[in-house]
Structure formats: C-alpha cells, structure tokens
PDB file of all heavy atoms in Angstrom:
ATOM      1  N   PHE A 274       0.831  -1.201   0.000  1.00 96.00           N
ATOM      2  CA  PHE A 274       0.000   0.000   0.000  1.00 96.00           C
ATOM      3  C   PHE A 274       0.864   1.249   0.000  1.00 96.00           C
ATOM      4  O   PHE A 274       1.942   1.265   0.581  1.00 96.00           O
ATOM      5  CB  PHE A 274      -0.965   0.016   1.193  1.00 96.00           C
ATOM      6  CG  PHE A 274      -0.307   0.075   2.540  1.00 96.00           C
ATOM      7  CD1 PHE A 274      -0.023   1.300   3.143  1.00 96.00           C
ATOM      8  CD2 PHE A 274       0.027  -1.084   3.223  1.00 96.00           C
ATOM      9  CE1 PHE A 274       0.577   1.364   4.398  1.00 96.00           C
ATOM     10  CE2 PHE A 274       0.625  -1.036   4.475  1.00 96.00           C
ATOM     11  CZ  PHE A 274       0.897   0.191   5.066  1.00 96.00           C
ATOM     12  N   GLY A 275       0.399   2.278  -0.697  1.00 95.00           N
ATOM     13  CA  GLY A 275       1.003   3.597  -0.640  1.00 95.00           C
ATOM     14  C   GLY A 275       1.935   4.002  -1.761  1.00 95.00           C
ATOM     15  O   GLY A 275       2.440   5.123  -1.759  1.00 95.00           O
ATOM     16  N   TYR A 276       2.173   3.146  -2.730  1.00 91.00           N
ATOM     17  CA  TYR A 276       3.151   3.453  -3.775  1.00 91.00           C
ATOM     18  C   TYR A 276       2.872   4.789  -4.465  1.00 91.00           C
ATOM     19  O   TYR A 276       3.785   5.571  -4.711  1.00 91.00           O
ATOM     20  CB  TYR A 276       3.189   2.320  -4.800  1.00 91.00           C
ATOM     21  CG  TYR A 276       4.147   2.560  -5.941  1.00 91.00           C
ATOM     22  CD1 TYR A 276       5.520   2.393  -5.762  1.00 91.00           C
ATOM     23  CD2 TYR A 276       3.704   2.974  -7.189  1.00 91.00           C
ATOM     24  CE1 TYR A 276       6.420   2.618  -6.792  1.00 91.00           C
ATOM     25  CE2 TYR A 276       4.592   3.198  -8.224  1.00 91.00           C
ATOM     26  CZ  TYR A 276       5.942   3.021  -8.021  1.00 91.00           C
ATOM     27  OH  TYR A 276       6.827   3.254  -9.040  1.00 91.00           O
ATOM     28  N   TYR A 277       1.636   5.054  -4.766  1.00 93.00           N
ATOM     29  CA  TYR A 277       1.296   6.243  -5.548  1.00 93.00           C
ATOM     30  C   TYR A 277       1.650   7.545  -4.842  1.00 93.00           C
ATOM     31  O   TYR A 277       1.826   8.581  -5.485  1.00 93.00           O
ATOM     32  CB  TYR A 277      -0.190   6.242  -5.921  1.00 93.00           C
ATOM     33  CG  TYR A 277      -1.122   6.457  -4.748  1.00 93.00           C
ATOM     34  CD1 TYR A 277      -1.496   7.737  -4.363  1.00 93.00           C
ATOM     35  CD2 TYR A 277      -1.631   5.387  -4.020  1.00 93.00           C
ATOM     36  CE1 TYR A 277      -2.345   7.947  -3.287  1.00 93.00           C
ATOM     37  CE2 TYR A 277      -2.475   5.577  -2.956  1.00 93.00           C
ATOM     38  CZ  TYR A 277      -2.831   6.860  -2.589  1.00 93.00           C
ATOM     39  OH  TYR A 277      -3.664   7.062  -1.517  1.00 93.00           O
ATOM     40  N   VAL A 278       1.778   7.518  -3.522  1.00 93.00           N
ATOM     41  CA  VAL A 278       2.045   8.747  -2.771  1.00 93.00           C
ATOM     42  C   VAL A 278       3.352   9.400  -3.226  1.00 93.00           C
ATOM     43  O   VAL A 278       3.467  10.623  -3.266  1.00 93.00           O
ATOM     44  CB  VAL A 278       2.059   8.458  -1.252  1.00 93.00           C
ATOM     45  CG1 VAL A 278       2.437   9.703  -0.470  1.00 93.00           C
ATOM     46  CG2 VAL A 278       0.694   7.946  -0.802  1.00 93.00           C
ATOM     47  N   ALA A 279       4.344   8.600  -3.593  1.00 86.00           N
ATOM     48  CA  ALA A 279       5.651   9.141  -3.982  1.00 86.00           C
ATOM     49  C   ALA A 279       5.800   9.369  -5.478  1.00 86.00           C
ATOM     50  O   ALA A 279       6.854   9.805  -5.924  1.00 86.00           O
ATOM     51  CB  ALA A 279       6.749   8.184  -3.514  1.00 86.00           C
ATOM     52  N   MET A 280       4.778   9.099  -6.243  1.00 88.00           N
ATOM     53  CA  MET A 280       4.908   9.269  -7.689  1.00 88.00           C
ATOM     54  C   MET A 280       5.082  10.753  -8.027  1.00 88.00           C
ATOM     55  O   MET A 280       4.489  11.614  -7.384  1.00 88.00           O
ATOM     56  CB  MET A 280       3.712   8.654  -8.399  1.00 88.00           C
ATOM     57  CG  MET A 280       3.675   7.142  -8.209  1.00 88.00           C
ATOM     58  SD  MET A 280       2.248   6.363  -8.968  1.00 88.00           S
ATOM     59  CE  MET A 280       2.776   6.364 -10.657  1.00 88.00           C
ATOM     60  N   PRO A 281       5.910  11.054  -9.025  1.00 86.00           N
ATOM     61  CA  PRO A 281       6.214  12.456  -9.356  1.00 86.00           C
ATOM     62  C   PRO A 281       4.981  13.324  -9.581  1.00 86.00           C
ATOM     63  O   PRO A 281       4.982  14.504  -9.196  1.00 86.00           O
ATOM     64  CB  PRO A 281       7.053  12.339 -10.633  1.00 86.00           C
ATOM     65  CG  PRO A 281       7.677  11.001 -10.553  1.00 86.00           C
ATOM     66  CD  PRO A 281       6.662  10.121  -9.868  1.00 86.00           C
ATOM     67  N   GLN A 282       3.943  12.771 -10.177  1.00 89.00           N
ATOM     68  CA  GLN A 282       2.755  13.592 -10.437  1.00 89.00           C
ATOM     69  C   GLN A 282       2.038  14.005  -9.142  1.00 89.00           C
ATOM     70  O   GLN A 282       1.194  14.887  -9.172  1.00 89.00           O
ATOM     71  CB  GLN A 282       1.776  12.883 -11.381  1.00 89.00           C
ATOM     72  CG  GLN A 282       1.176  11.609 -10.841  1.00 89.00           C
ATOM     73  CD  GLN A 282       1.922  10.370 -11.246  1.00 89.00           C
ATOM     74  OE1 GLN A 282       3.136  10.393 -11.417  1.00 89.00           O
ATOM     75  NE2 GLN A 282       1.205   9.270 -11.403  1.00 89.00           N
ATOM     76  N   ASN A 283       2.406  13.385  -8.012  1.00 91.00           N
ATOM     77  CA  ASN A 283       1.783  13.747  -6.737  1.00 91.00           C
ATOM     78  C   ASN A 283       2.709  14.552  -5.829  1.00 91.00           C
ATOM     79  O   ASN A 283       2.321  14.931  -4.731  1.00 91.00           O
ATOM     80  CB  ASN A 283       1.323  12.479  -6.011  1.00 91.00           C
ATOM     81  CG  ASN A 283       0.265  11.751  -6.800  1.00 91.00           C
ATOM     82  OD1 ASN A 283      -0.574  12.368  -7.446  1.00 91.00           O
ATOM     83  ND2 ASN A 283       0.310  10.439  -6.784  1.00 91.00           N
ATOM     84  N   SER A 284       3.920  14.823  -6.299  1.00 87.00           N
ATOM     85  CA  SER A 284       4.896  15.478  -5.427  1.00 87.00           C
ATOM     86  C   SER A 284       4.499  16.907  -5.055  1.00 87.00           C
ATOM     87  O   SER A 284       4.858  17.386  -3.975  1.00 87.00           O
ATOM     88  CB  SER A 284       6.294  15.449  -6.040  1.00 87.00           C
ATOM     89  OG  SER A 284       6.332  16.205  -7.232  1.00 87.00           O
ATOM     90  N   ASN A 285       3.746  17.583  -5.903  1.00 88.00           N
ATOM     91  CA  ASN A 285       3.309  18.931  -5.537  1.00 88.00           C
ATOM     92  C   ASN A 285       2.422  18.887  -4.294  1.00 88.00           C
ATOM     93  O   ASN A 285       2.484  19.769  -3.444  1.00 88.00           O
ATOM     94  CB  ASN A 285       2.602  19.634  -6.694  1.00 88.00           C
ATOM     95  CG  ASN A 285       1.361  18.886  -7.159  1.00 88.00           C
ATOM     96  OD1 ASN A 285       1.293  17.656  -7.086  1.00 88.00           O
ATOM     97  ND2 ASN A 285       0.377  19.615  -7.645  1.00 88.00           N
ATOM     98  N   VAL A 286       1.612  17.839  -4.168  1.00 94.00           N
ATOM     99  CA  VAL A 286       0.746  17.690  -2.995  1.00 94.00           C
ATOM    100  C   VAL A 286       1.567  17.273  -1.784  1.00 94.00           C
ATOM    101  O   VAL A 286       1.484  17.881  -0.715  1.00 94.00           O
ATOM    102  CB  VAL A 286      -0.368  16.644  -3.267  1.00 94.00           C
ATOM    103  CG1 VAL A 286      -1.177  16.367  -2.010  1.00 94.00           C
ATOM    104  CG2 VAL A 286      -1.268  17.108  -4.399  1.00 94.00           C
ATOM    105  N   THR A 287       2.385  16.231  -1.949  1.00 94.00           N
ATOM    106  CA  THR A 287       3.113  15.691  -0.803  1.00 94.00           C
ATOM    107  C   THR A 287       4.184  16.656  -0.293  1.00 94.00           C
ATOM    108  O   THR A 287       4.442  16.702   0.910  1.00 94.00           O
ATOM    109  CB  THR A 287       3.727  14.315  -1.130  1.00 94.00           C
ATOM    110  OG1 THR A 287       4.523  14.405  -2.314  1.00 94.00           O
ATOM    111  CG2 THR A 287       2.644  13.281  -1.342  1.00 94.00           C
ATOM    112  N   LEU A 288       4.798  17.420  -1.187  1.00 92.00           N
ATOM    113  CA  LEU A 288       5.764  18.425  -0.725  1.00 92.00           C
ATOM    114  C   LEU A 288       5.087  19.476   0.148  1.00 92.00           C
ATOM    115  O   LEU A 288       5.669  19.940   1.138  1.00 92.00           O
ATOM    116  CB  LEU A 288       6.450  19.097  -1.915  1.00 92.00           C
ATOM    117  CG  LEU A 288       7.702  18.414  -2.431  1.00 92.00           C
ATOM    118  CD1 LEU A 288       8.179  19.064  -3.725  1.00 92.00           C
ATOM    119  CD2 LEU A 288       8.815  18.413  -1.394  1.00 92.00           C
ATOM    120  N   ASN A 289       3.869  19.846  -0.189  1.00 95.00           N
ATOM    121  CA  ASN A 289       3.134  20.806   0.642  1.00 95.00           C
ATOM    122  C   ASN A 289       2.869  20.241   2.032  1.00 95.00           C
ATOM    123  O   ASN A 289       2.878  20.985   3.018  1.00 95.00           O
ATOM    124  CB  ASN A 289       1.829  21.224  -0.027  1.00 95.00           C
ATOM    125  CG  ASN A 289       2.053  22.248  -1.114  1.00 95.00           C
ATOM    126  OD1 ASN A 289       3.020  23.009  -1.081  1.00 95.00           O
ATOM    127  ND2 ASN A 289       1.175  22.264  -2.096  1.00 95.00           N
ATOM    128  N   TRP A 290       2.635  18.936   2.120  1.00 97.00           N
ATOM    129  CA  TRP A 290       2.410  18.326   3.432  1.00 97.00           C
ATOM    130  C   TRP A 290       3.623  18.528   4.334  1.00 97.00           C
ATOM    131  O   TRP A 290       3.487  18.723   5.529  1.00 97.00           O
ATOM    132  CB  TRP A 290       2.154  16.829   3.320  1.00 97.00           C
ATOM    133  CG  TRP A 290       0.934  16.421   2.569  1.00 97.00           C
ATOM    134  CD1 TRP A 290      -0.111  17.215   2.167  1.00 97.00           C
ATOM    135  CD2 TRP A 290       0.632  15.104   2.126  1.00 97.00           C
ATOM    136  NE1 TRP A 290      -1.033  16.466   1.495  1.00 97.00           N
ATOM    137  CE2 TRP A 290      -0.609  15.164   1.465  1.00 97.00           C
ATOM    138  CE3 TRP A 290       1.287  13.885   2.221  1.00 97.00           C
ATOM    139  CZ2 TRP A 290      -1.209  14.045   0.897  1.00 97.00           C
ATOM    140  CZ3 TRP A 290       0.690  12.753   1.670  1.00 97.00           C
ATOM    141  CH2 TRP A 290      -0.545  12.841   1.015  1.00 97.00           C
ATOM    142  N   THR A 291       4.816  18.435   3.754  1.00 96.00           N
ATOM    143  CA  THR A 291       6.039  18.494   4.562  1.00 96.00           C
ATOM    144  C   THR A 291       6.235  19.862   5.214  1.00 96.00           C
ATOM    145  O   THR A 291       7.067  19.996   6.117  1.00 96.00           O
ATOM    146  CB  THR A 291       7.289  18.140   3.724  1.00 96.00           C
ATOM    147  OG1 THR A 291       7.512  19.146   2.733  1.00 96.00           O
ATOM    148  CG2 THR A 291       7.159  16.773   3.084  1.00 96.00           C
ATOM    149  N   LEU A 292       5.496  20.867   4.781  1.00 96.00           N
ATOM    150  CA  LEU A 292       5.602  22.201   5.369  1.00 96.00           C
ATOM    151  C   LEU A 292       4.840  22.307   6.690  1.00 96.00           C
ATOM    152  O   LEU A 292       5.033  23.266   7.433  1.00 96.00           O
ATOM    153  CB  LEU A 292       5.084  23.249   4.386  1.00 96.00           C
ATOM    154  CG  LEU A 292       5.808  23.296   3.032  1.00 96.00           C
ATOM    155  CD1 LEU A 292       5.136  24.296   2.108  1.00 96.00           C
ATOM    156  CD2 LEU A 292       7.282  23.615   3.221  1.00 96.00           C
ATOM    157  N   ASP A 293       3.998  21.326   6.995  1.00 97.00           N
ATOM    158  CA  ASP A 293       3.254  21.329   8.255  1.00 97.00           C
ATOM    159  C   ASP A 293       4.207  21.142   9.428  1.00 97.00           C
ATOM    160  O   ASP A 293       5.306  20.603   9.282  1.00 97.00           O
ATOM    161  CB  ASP A 293       2.212  20.208   8.272  1.00 97.00           C
ATOM    162  CG  ASP A 293       1.088  20.444   7.270  1.00 97.00           C
ATOM    163  OD1 ASP A 293       1.012  21.542   6.692  1.00 97.00           O
ATOM    164  OD2 ASP A 293       0.289  19.508   7.074  1.00 97.00           O
ATOM    165  N   ALA A 294       3.763  21.551  10.596  1.00 98.00           N
ATOM    166  CA  ALA A 294       4.597  21.466  11.798  1.00 98.00           C
ATOM    167  C   ALA A 294       5.048  20.032  12.094  1.00 98.00           C
ATOM    168  O   ALA A 294       6.139  19.824  12.635  1.00 98.00           O
ATOM    169  CB  ALA A 294       3.837  22.032  13.001  1.00 98.00           C
ATOM    170  N   ASP A 295       4.229  19.042  11.720  1.00 98.00           N
ATOM    171  CA  ASP A 295       4.593  17.638  11.985  1.00 98.00           C
ATOM    172  C   ASP A 295       5.341  16.998  10.818  1.00 98.00           C
ATOM    173  O   ASP A 295       5.533  15.786  10.785  1.00 98.00           O
ATOM    174  CB  ASP A 295       3.356  16.820  12.327  1.00 98.00           C
ATOM    175  CG  ASP A 295       2.433  16.613  11.138  1.00 98.00           C
ATOM    176  OD1 ASP A 295       2.611  17.285  10.085  1.00 98.00           O
ATOM    177  OD2 ASP A 295       1.531  15.764  11.236  1.00 98.00           O
ATOM    178  N   GLY A 296       5.767  17.833   9.859  1.00 96.00           N
ATOM    179  CA  GLY A 296       6.498  17.311   8.700  1.00 96.00           C
ATOM    180  C   GLY A 296       5.626  16.597   7.693  1.00 96.00           C
ATOM    181  O   GLY A 296       6.132  15.943   6.789  1.00 96.00           O
ATOM    182  N   GLY A 297       4.314  16.713   7.843  1.00 97.00           N
ATOM    183  CA  GLY A 297       3.388  16.107   6.893  1.00 97.00           C
ATOM    184  C   GLY A 297       2.784  14.785   7.326  1.00 97.00           C
ATOM    185  O   GLY A 297       1.992  14.190   6.591  1.00 97.00           O
ATOM    186  N   LEU A 298       3.129  14.318   8.516  1.00 98.00           N
ATOM    187  CA  LEU A 298       2.680  12.990   8.941  1.00 98.00           C
ATOM    188  C   LEU A 298       1.167  12.855   9.045  1.00 98.00           C
ATOM    189  O   LEU A 298       0.600  11.836   8.626  1.00 98.00           O
ATOM    190  CB  LEU A 298       3.332  12.595  10.262  1.00 98.00           C
ATOM    191  CG  LEU A 298       4.813  12.280  10.185  1.00 98.00           C
ATOM    192  CD1 LEU A 298       5.366  11.975  11.579  1.00 98.00           C
ATOM    193  CD2 LEU A 298       5.075  11.126   9.236  1.00 98.00           C
ATOM    194  N   ASN A 299       0.496  13.852   9.610  1.00 98.00           N
ATOM    195  CA  ASN A 299      -0.960  13.733   9.747  1.00 98.00           C
ATOM    196  C   ASN A 299      -1.643  13.619   8.391  1.00 98.00           C
ATOM    197  O   ASN A 299      -2.534  12.783   8.208  1.00 98.00           O
ATOM    198  CB  ASN A 299      -1.534  14.906  10.538  1.00 98.00           C
ATOM    199  CG  ASN A 299      -1.245  14.784  12.017  1.00 98.00           C
ATOM    200  OD1 ASN A 299      -1.043  13.683  12.538  1.00 98.00           O
ATOM    201  ND2 ASN A 299      -1.191  15.914  12.703  1.00 98.00           N
ATOM    202  N   GLN A 300      -1.225  14.447   7.448  1.00 98.00           N
ATOM    203  CA  GLN A 300      -1.840  14.376   6.125  1.00 98.00           C
ATOM    204  C   GLN A 300      -1.473  13.077   5.411  1.00 98.00           C
ATOM    205  O   GLN A 300      -2.309  12.472   4.733  1.00 98.00           O
ATOM    206  CB  GLN A 300      -1.444  15.590   5.291  1.00 98.00           C
ATOM    207  CG  GLN A 300      -2.064  16.870   5.855  1.00 98.00           C
ATOM    208  CD  GLN A 300      -2.000  18.009   4.884  1.00 98.00           C
ATOM    209  OE1 GLN A 300      -2.751  18.010   3.908  1.00 98.00           O
ATOM    210  NE2 GLN A 300      -1.125  18.965   5.146  1.00 98.00           N
ATOM    211  N   LEU A 301      -0.235  12.620   5.580  1.00 98.00           N
ATOM    212  CA  LEU A 301       0.167  11.347   4.980  1.00 98.00           C
ATOM    213  C   LEU A 301      -0.686  10.204   5.517  1.00 98.00           C
ATOM    214  O   LEU A 301      -1.214   9.401   4.732  1.00 98.00           O
ATOM    215  CB  LEU A 301       1.647  11.078   5.258  1.00 98.00           C
ATOM    216  CG  LEU A 301       2.161   9.704   4.806  1.00 98.00           C
ATOM    217  CD1 LEU A 301       2.091   9.557   3.290  1.00 98.00           C
ATOM    218  CD2 LEU A 301       3.582   9.492   5.303  1.00 98.00           C
ATOM    219  N   PHE A 302      -0.843  10.130   6.820  1.00 98.00           N
ATOM    220  CA  PHE A 302      -1.641   9.038   7.382  1.00 98.00           C
ATOM    221  C   PHE A 302      -3.122   9.166   7.022  1.00 98.00           C
ATOM    222  O   PHE A 302      -3.807   8.162   6.852  1.00 98.00           O
ATOM    223  CB  PHE A 302      -1.435   8.928   8.896  1.00 98.00           C
ATOM    224  CG  PHE A 302      -0.181   8.167   9.247  1.00 98.00           C
ATOM    225  CD1 PHE A 302       0.941   8.825   9.713  1.00 98.00           C
ATOM    226  CD2 PHE A 302      -0.120   6.790   9.083  1.00 98.00           C
ATOM    227  CE1 PHE A 302       2.099   8.132  10.011  1.00 98.00           C
ATOM    228  CE2 PHE A 302       1.028   6.079   9.379  1.00 98.00           C
ATOM    229  CZ  PHE A 302       2.150   6.750   9.845  1.00 98.00           C
ATOM    230  N   THR A 303      -3.608  10.395   6.879  1.00 98.00           N
ATOM    231  CA  THR A 303      -4.987  10.573   6.406  1.00 98.00           C
ATOM    232  C   THR A 303      -5.140  10.019   5.001  1.00 98.00           C
ATOM    233  O   THR A 303      -6.098   9.302   4.703  1.00 98.00           O
ATOM    234  CB  THR A 303      -5.399  12.060   6.449  1.00 98.00           C
ATOM    235  OG1 THR A 303      -5.390  12.498   7.812  1.00 98.00           O
ATOM    236  CG2 THR A 303      -6.774  12.278   5.835  1.00 98.00           C
ATOM    237  N   GLU A 304      -4.192  10.325   4.129  1.00 98.00           N
ATOM    238  CA  GLU A 304      -4.251   9.811   2.758  1.00 98.00           C
ATOM    239  C   GLU A 304      -4.160   8.287   2.752  1.00 98.00           C
ATOM    240  O   GLU A 304      -4.899   7.615   2.036  1.00 98.00           O
ATOM    241  CB  GLU A 304      -3.137  10.405   1.902  1.00 98.00           C
ATOM    242  CG  GLU A 304      -3.089   9.877   0.474  1.00 98.00           C
ATOM    243  CD  GLU A 304      -4.366  10.119  -0.311  1.00 98.00           C
ATOM    244  OE1 GLU A 304      -5.034  11.158  -0.108  1.00 98.00           O
ATOM    245  OE2 GLU A 304      -4.704   9.264  -1.156  1.00 98.00           O
ATOM    246  N   VAL A 305      -3.262   7.741   3.534  1.00 98.00           N
ATOM    247  CA  VAL A 305      -3.095   6.284   3.566  1.00 98.00           C
ATOM    248  C   VAL A 305      -4.369   5.599   4.058  1.00 98.00           C
ATOM    249  O   VAL A 305      -4.833   4.634   3.462  1.00 98.00           O
ATOM    250  CB  VAL A 305      -1.882   5.891   4.440  1.00 98.00           C
ATOM    251  CG1 VAL A 305      -1.877   4.397   4.748  1.00 98.00           C
ATOM    252  CG2 VAL A 305      -0.579   6.283   3.739  1.00 98.00           C
ATOM    253  N   THR A 306      -4.943   6.086   5.139  1.00 98.00           N
ATOM    254  CA  THR A 306      -6.086   5.387   5.737  1.00 98.00           C
ATOM    255  C   THR A 306      -7.431   5.737   5.115  1.00 98.00           C
ATOM    256  O   THR A 306      -8.293   4.865   5.013  1.00 98.00           O
ATOM    257  CB  THR A 306      -6.157   5.655   7.253  1.00 98.00           C
ATOM    258  OG1 THR A 306      -6.264   7.061   7.487  1.00 98.00           O
ATOM    259  CG2 THR A 306      -4.931   5.101   7.955  1.00 98.00           C
ATOM    260  N   ASP A 307      -7.607   6.988   4.685  1.00 97.00           N
ATOM    261  CA  ASP A 307      -8.924   7.427   4.222  1.00 97.00           C
ATOM    262  C   ASP A 307      -8.954   7.992   2.811  1.00 97.00           C
ATOM    263  O   ASP A 307     -10.017   8.096   2.218  1.00 97.00           O
ATOM    264  CB  ASP A 307      -9.482   8.498   5.169  1.00 97.00           C
ATOM    265  CG  ASP A 307      -9.580   8.008   6.595  1.00 97.00           C
ATOM    266  OD1 ASP A 307      -9.987   6.850   6.803  1.00 97.00           O
ATOM    267  OD2 ASP A 307      -9.218   8.772   7.512  1.00 97.00           O
ATOM    268  N   GLY A 308      -7.806   8.427   2.302  1.00 97.00           N
ATOM    269  CA  GLY A 308      -7.764   9.044   0.984  1.00 97.00           C
ATOM    270  C   GLY A 308      -8.334  10.445   0.999  1.00 97.00           C
ATOM    271  O   GLY A 308      -8.590  11.035   2.040  1.00 97.00           O
ATOM    272  N   GLY A 309      -8.512  10.983  -0.196  1.00 96.00           N
ATOM    273  CA  GLY A 309      -9.137  12.284  -0.351  1.00 96.00           C
ATOM    274  C   GLY A 309      -8.189  13.465  -0.469  1.00 96.00           C
ATOM    275  O   GLY A 309      -8.635  14.574  -0.744  1.00 96.00           O
ATOM    276  N   LEU A 310      -6.891  13.245  -0.275  1.00 97.00           N
ATOM    277  CA  LEU A 310      -5.952  14.366  -0.340  1.00 97.00           C
ATOM    278  C   LEU A 310      -5.161  14.401  -1.637  1.00 97.00           C
ATOM    279  O   LEU A 310      -4.639  15.446  -2.007  1.00 97.00           O
ATOM    280  CB  LEU A 310      -4.986  14.318   0.854  1.00 97.00           C
ATOM    281  CG  LEU A 310      -5.638  14.372   2.235  1.00 97.00           C
ATOM    282  CD1 LEU A 310      -4.581  14.318   3.324  1.00 97.00           C
ATOM    283  CD2 LEU A 310      -6.504  15.613   2.380  1.00 97.00           C
TER     284      LEU A 310
END
C-alpha cells in the first residue's frame, strides 16, 4: 500500500504536506487510511 504517494505527479501535494509542523505525517496518514488528499 502507498506506492502512488511518492509518484512524481503527486509530489506537488506531498511536498506541501512536509511544510506542516509535523512534517506532513498527519496528512500522509490521512491519505493512507482514508484518501481524499
């Protein structure tokens, strides 16, 4: 599970997550468990 998260076409989204105070973990786990991001 989760391969698509690191695909280049999604990096604009995932890079924005890393700007959060927790380094993007909450948004990453939301995407993994529930999707929608």
Side-chain angles (χ1 to χ4, degrees):
F274 64 90
Y276 179 77
Y277 69 89
V278 176
M280 295 178 78
Q282 64 266 32
N283 297 324
S284 65
N285 60 329
V286 174
T287 54
L288 272 172
N289 282 333
W290 297 347
T291 67
L292 301 176
D293 292 351
D295 70 348
L298 289 177
N299 285 335
Q300 292 195 73
L301 174 64
F302 278 106
T303 296
E304 178 59 34
V305 167
T306 58
D307 302 319
L310 301 180

